[in-house]
Amino acid sequence: MSFKTLDDLPQDLTGQRALVRVDLNLPMKDGQATDLTRVTAVAPTILELADRGAKVLLLAHFGRPKGERNSTMSLSYVLGDVERVIEREIMFIPEITGPVVEQSVGILSDGDIGILENTRFWPGEEANDPEFARAIAENGDIYVNDAFSAAHRAHASTEGLAKLLPAYAGRAMEKELKALDAALGTPNPPVAAVVGGAKVSTKLAVLENLSRQVQHLIIGGGMANTFLAANGVNVGKSLCEHDLTDTARAIMDAADGAGCTIHLPYDVVVAKEFAANPPSLRTCNVHEVAEDEMILDVGPQAVEALGDVLKTCATLVWNGPMGAFETPPFDEATVALAKTAAALTQAGALTSVAGGGDTVAALAHAGVTDDVTYISTAGGAFLEWMEGKELPGVAALSA
Ligand code: ADP
Ligand code: MG
């Protein structure tokens, strides 16, 4: 995959109006942003463009206003947070096209930053209406996309604009694309994938794609139960999609044909009730799960064996926790495997890339956030990429 970055622009951007798509869809509680990770992620791009002399015009969506103005979802709500993170003043522009934008941009000096109103207030955004995109493009000379998390949507601000203006990946997008490419695009073999989480049904396409791409597919979490059941294991009252055992079987057969080894747990942590440190907690072989027990985590012997698999690999891609990690002690397998992956990464033996909402939380819980190669917070876009899909926002940047 080849795409242009900010390095492909002239150093001096004075006089250039840069339309910059960012992710400012911040999690909110009682009108306050609860996490500024997304702002921190795009700050380097914003500051670099401004410092190189461009007029920076930020484009972002916020919430789901469904193509109508909605005062509760105005980007003016997050303006203060962005200003605090980048330590610059930002002009709020309450439109996205037309004379108000043109006049506001005229007032901005070189190196100043403005933010346009929520892209999704206009139906042309999600419809990827070329007229709408053209009207936005009138106030820009270049387009920079720094919002990988929105790249799985073909919207005017994520895809349409890239076709109308010279288009560049911002620094966060560049980092994300390079990390993803190192994990699955052109990875160093052998490659291991860890797929966990609750259900097979939400990750069928991920499992199918990975079984064709990687040498070791480690399946944990609730979804492992469906695979175990497909192998004739009695999983008791575990979370299990019995209607998908044929599908699980087909994935195992396909993996076999593609030279991919599937690793399922052979010991497990079970309990009769799903609670923290329940009295019925025990560890057993997968063939010894009782009718009234649930599998809630991968067992310690399997975790050790999986760690040995990782030691033979050069690349790891990880989505989904190995157990019900929110409830102790069912976090132990996830934490132990995460620590092994982090140690191998720190030793220079492994490139490790992880993503997914609960996975980000699980790896943070394991304390390895800064010790793996890359953690994607992109959610839906990360999963679609793991499914092997082309992301329209990324494809539009490809030179
Ligand atoms: P991600 O958001 O990283 O893609 P998922 O949403 O697919 O991950 O799965 C995360 C959820 O899976 C967690 O809430 C976790 O508690 C649950 N889970 C993992 N293992 C089990 C299990 N054995 N039984 C029930 N739930 C599980
Ligand atoms: Mg999830």
Side-chain angles (χ1 to χ4, degrees):
M1 176 184 15
S2 85
F3 52 91
K4 291 202 176 78
T5 71
L6 303 189
D7 295 327
D8 294 296
L9 281 162
Q11 183 53 37
D12 182 9
L13 295 174
T14 307
Q16 298 277 315
R17 298 162 304 168
L19 286 163
V20 186
R21 180 59 158 98
V22 288
D23 182 353
L24 296 179
N25 197 23
L26 308 185
M28 306 289 284
K29 201 176 171 226
D30 304 326
Q32 292 292 316
T34 54
D35 180 42
L36 297 180
T37 308
R38 288 177 164 165
V39 186
T40 323
V42 295
T45 296
I46 299 172
L47 291 172
E48 179 176 343
L49 287 166
D51 290 344
R52 285 166 67 176
K55 287 187 184 182
V56 180
L57 300 169
L58 303 178
L59 292 166
H61 76 274
F62 186 43
R64 297 178 183 272
K66 302 210 164 93
E68 282 173 27
R69 253 184 213 279
N70 181 328
S71 59
T72 67
M73 297 179 207
S74 169
L75 271 175
S76 59
Y77 281 109
V78 301
L79 185 72
D81 288 316
V82 185
E83 288 185 323
R84 269 186 293 282
V85 171
I86 67 172
E87 298 181 341
R88 304 269 169 101
E89 260 180 57
I90 300 177
M91 178 196 267
F92 180 68
I93 304 170
E95 293 288 339
I96 196 160
T97 60
V100 169
V101 179
E102 200 185 322
Q103 284 153 20
S104 306
V105 175
I107 295 167
L108 291 177
S109 303
D110 292 326
D112 280 353
I113 303 163
I115 183 166
L116 304 177
E117 184 55 289
N118 189 345
T119 54
R120 292 194 186 166
F121 280 5
W122 291 272
E125 165 71 345
E126 292 180 68
N128 199 7
D129 175 2
E131 286 308 314
F132 180 65
R134 239 187 298 282
I136 301 175
E138 276 183 18
N139 291 300
D141 301 297
I142 59 172
Y143 168 73
V144 176
N145 191 346
D146 214 23
F148 177 81
S149 57
H152 57 316
R153 310 275 186 228
H155 292 171
S157 71
T158 62
E159 202 264 354
L161 278 175
K163 294 186 175 153
L164 299 170
L165 294 171
Y168 304 86
R171 295 301 183 196
M173 174 74 94
E174 176 186 352
K175 212 164 126 192
E176 180 111 22
L177 294 179
K178 284 184 176 159
L180 298 191
D181 195 57
L184 267 189
T186 51
N188 284 331
V191 184
V194 171
V195 183
K199 290 180 170 182
V200 171
S201 51
T202 58
K203 293 183 184 172
L204 261 184
V206 169
L207 290 164
E208 280 166 357
N209 183 45
L210 290 176
S211 64
R212 287 190 295 261
Q213 310 274 339
V214 306
Q215 287 71 52
H216 295 278
L217 178 54
I218 295 170
I219 302 179
M223 68 173 60
N225 303 337
T226 303
F227 283 84
L228 291 170
N231 284 342
V233 171
N234 187 341
V235 298
K237 350 182 242 160
S238 304
L239 174 65
C240 178
E241 293 166 288
H242 290 282
D243 54 326
L244 285 178
T245 49
D246 286 348
T247 309
R249 185 77 259 155
I251 291 171
M252 289 190 276
D253 289 344
D256 221 24
C260 166
T261 307
I262 291 195
H263 301 268
L264 291 169
Y266 46 80
D267 63 336
V268 285
V269 182
V270 298
K272 291 188 170 131
E273 64 274 41
F274 183 25
N277 305 304
S280 59
L281 183 76
R282 68 181 190 111
T283 298
C284 67
N285 183 281
V286 286
H287 294 288
E288 294 163 354
V289 179
E291 239 12 281
D292 58 349
E293 287 180 319
M294 289 177 269
I295 301 172
L296 291 164
D297 201 11
V298 172
Q301 288 182 33
V303 171
E304 202 172 321
L306 295 175
D308 289 340
V309 172
L310 295 191
K311 285 177 195 145
T312 68
C313 291
T315 306
L316 167 67
V317 46
W318 186 333
N319 169 258
M322 302 300 286
F325 76 99
E326 301 93 336
T327 311
F330 309 111
D331 57 340
E332 283 179 6
T334 305
V335 169
L337 199 62
K339 287 192 168 152
T340 302
L344 290 169
T345 307
Q346 290 305 306
L350 189 71
T351 298
S352 52
V353 174
D358 294 293
T359 310
V360 175
L363 297 186
H365 171 72
V368 303
T369 303
D370 297 327
D371 297 332
V372 293
T373 310
Y374 189 79
I375 293 188
S376 173
T377 55
F382 179 82
L383 273 181
E384 288 199 21
W385 168 80
M386 277 194 73
E387 291 171 3
K389 284 196 188 146
E390 175 171 87
L391 309 185
V394 174
L397 287 180
S398 294

